[in-house]
Amino acid sequence: MIQKRIIAAVLLLVLFVLQSSVFCHLTINGATPDLLISLVVLIALFRGSNEGMTYGFFAGLLLDVFFSSFIGFNALHYMFVGFLCGLFKDYTIAFDLRIPALLIVVSKFIVLLSTYVFKFLLFGRFAFGTYFVNIMLPEFFYTIGMFIPLFFLMMFLEYKVFAKKEDVTVERP
Amino acid sequence: MSPRIKQTKTEKFLMPSKYLLLIYTTVSVGLMLLTFFNSGVEQFFKNTIGGAIAPFQKGVSFAAESIIDKATRVATIKELREENKALQDKIDSLTEENTLLLEEQFELADLRALYELDNTYSNYEKTGARIIAWDSNGFYSSFIVDKGTDNGILMDMNVIAGGGLVGRITDVGKNWARVTTILDDNSKISSMVLHTQDHMITCGDLKLSQSGYITYEQLGDKDNLVKQGDKVVTSYVSDKYLPGILIGYIADIRMGDNNLTKSGSITPVVDFRNLTQVLIITQLREDYEDLDINTDR
């Protein structure tokens, strides 16, 4: 159990460093993929709300410390994403991308929209069209694109690496 | 047909989700309020979490940069040849221009001595820093550099690159600092057109940041002397930026909404897309004013 959590925590740090220091050289129309939200959605889906919330909170905190003018904004968002996605844990089916894909799409969209409202709209910036086309869409699709390899990585970890060591059983109905 | 996952043995102690949700929500909102009213808490987080992660970012960023550089080297050779040709032509025209300018330089030196305006920004003390992470929001609004309070970096120090203004330091950790660029949507700089000394406000704009432009407003140019291509520098009115740092060139001019002042867009000197290293001016604006007063006396 401990091992599982340490690996996820290391993965979180690695993805943060990748996102901020490697993908900034591989931008698409200036956008970088949000790997952290993908990880939070996946952890929540595989392990439930409690762990989803915890990893979401710390992922958001990392982003806040480096890129936000006040700490807690992203932490709150990512934590809620973790909580809400964790509610779908019982519907998670191995190697089925449908529910995770739907959840990442909805989560990313809501976080982006909320960022727009709290960082631009409240400061009197009404250029939603520009924000939507130039910032939301590229980041949105890049995130979804990078979500798929991450999904299979998490699948591999959950079902191949941890399943052997723990009492997670795969039942065939 | 798909296999279904079932957890047969639950953990010994499992906190109900709603309580955990409440705890995390309280902590997040509490942190937001705390950092809003008290910057000490923020500094604590920046030093501990930031200080631990910045070295990794530095290493990874350096490695990624060199790998990507090698990978794209071949592809860019053709591009470079064309650029080289264009640059050769430019050198010829610049040499010509240079001779003309040299003549004007003597005149300028005389005038400067007259105005005691000896301090251009090339005289400021600077320190180099490498960019180790970009904000992932996609409009070049801020980045992290690998120097912090350990290297003598303080809040509000000005950052330049390639002779132009990049932005200023808005957060400092032990071994890293955040630079908010002039493209940031909230950035506002008191600036002026160099040759007419007309004041204006230069601001970042979300709409234009993707294409690399910034906007200006409240340019009081009564005699219509300002034209396209004029140099825009930071003004001595600014309380955060040192005076006389080149921001960019005027790209277009429109009459403002009030029909009294003008607005438009500016092409910054700095190419934010290919920025990897910057120079931090270690002199603060406040100290600069002290110097000014001293020389006056």
Side-chain angles (χ1 to χ4, degrees), chain A residues 20-21 30 32 50 65 125 159, chain B residues 5 15 17 57 132 136 138 185:
Chain A
S20 63
S21 298
T32 49
N50 282 10
V65 164
R125 306 287 176 143
Y159 294 144
Chain B
I5 302 305
M15 191 184 285
S17 290
Q57 285 180 321
I132 57 172
S136 51
D185 204 52

Side-chain angles (χ1 to χ4, degrees), chain B residues 139-141 164-167 181-189 191 200-217 232-234 241 246-252 254 263-270 272:
Chain B
F139 44 92
Y140 307 101
S141 70
L165 185 65
V166 172
T181 67
I182 51 174
L183 297 187
D184 186 71
D185 204 52
N186 292 323
S187 108
K188 285 206 164 34
I189 311 161
S191 45
M200 60 195 196
I201 310 278
T202 303
C203 6
D205 192 329
L206 180 70
K207 281 191 221 167
L208 292 171
S209 60
Q210 282 272 320
S211 45
Y213 288 107
I214 47 179
T215 56
Y216 65 87
E217 52 194 41
V232 177
V233 297
T234 50
Y241 290 97
L246 185 61
I247 298 174
Y249 305 95
I250 291 198
D252 68 68
R254 289 189 308 273
S263 60
S265 57
I266 296 173
T267 318
V269 186
V270 183
F272 285 92

Side-chain angles (χ1 to χ4, degrees), chain B residues 89-119:
Chain B
D89 292 342
K90 207 168 177 187
I91 286 176
D92 295 341
S93 68
L94 283 176
T95 340
E96 214 169 286
E97 206 181 317
N98 197 21
T99 40
L100 284 171
L101 285 174
L102 271 174
E103 284 168 29
E104 284 176 17
Q105 172 113 42
F106 293 111
E107 201 185 332
L108 180 69
D110 289 347
L111 289 171
R112 270 212 185 124
L114 212 63
Y115 277 99
E116 289 177 12
L117 269 176
D118 231 1
N119 291 323

Side-chain angles (χ1 to χ4, degrees), chain B residues 3-164:
Chain B
R4 188 152 290 179
I5 302 305
K6 196 177 156 198
Q7 195 97 26
T8 48
K9 198 178 79 185
T10 50
E11 290 166 61
K12 279 169 198 156
F13 172 71
L14 201 67
M15 191 184 285
S17 290
K18 53 183 177 183
Y19 295 129
L20 203 59
L21 182 70
L22 190 70
I23 292 170
Y24 278 131
T25 310
T26 322
V27 172
S28 310
V29 175
L31 276 175
M32 270 194 257
L33 291 174
L34 263 176
T35 51
F36 196 73
F37 292 113
N38 179 3
S39 58
V41 183
E42 204 180 345
Q43 203 57 45
F44 170 77
F45 275 100
K46 286 184 194 308
N47 280 339
T48 48
I49 302 181
I53 291 169
F56 290 105
Q57 285 180 321
K58 190 173 173 178
V60 171
S61 174
F62 187 73
E65 221 171 83
S66 54
I67 291 168
I68 291 165
D69 184 48
K70 282 209 181 85
T72 51
R73 191 169 287 167
V74 184
T76 49
I77 285 179
K78 204 183 155 200
E79 217 170 274
L80 285 175
R81 278 204 184 123
E82 280 165 19
E83 203 179 319
N84 194 22
K85 211 174 163 188
L87 286 175
Q88 278 298 344
D89 292 342
K90 207 168 177 187
I91 286 176
D92 295 341
S93 68
L94 283 176
T95 340
E96 214 169 286
E97 206 181 317
N98 197 21
T99 40
L100 284 171
L101 285 174
L102 271 174
E103 284 168 29
E104 284 176 17
Q105 172 113 42
F106 293 111
E107 201 185 332
L108 180 69
D110 289 347
L111 289 171
R112 270 212 185 124
L114 212 63
Y115 277 99
E116 289 177 12
L117 269 176
D118 231 1
N119 291 323
T120 55
Y121 66 97
S122 51
N123 298 344
Y124 296 141
E125 252 183 57
K126 294 181 279 275
T127 172
R130 174 178 280 279
I131 298 176
I132 57 172
W134 274 96
D135 188 355
S136 51
N137 62 10
F139 44 92
Y140 307 101
S141 70
S142 67
F143 57 81
I144 308 289
V145 293
D146 63 348
K147 296 223 169 138
T149 42
D150 286 356
N151 311 85
I153 306 299
L154 297 172
M155 273 290 260
D156 288 336
M157 278 179 175
N158 295 178
V159 180
I160 59 171

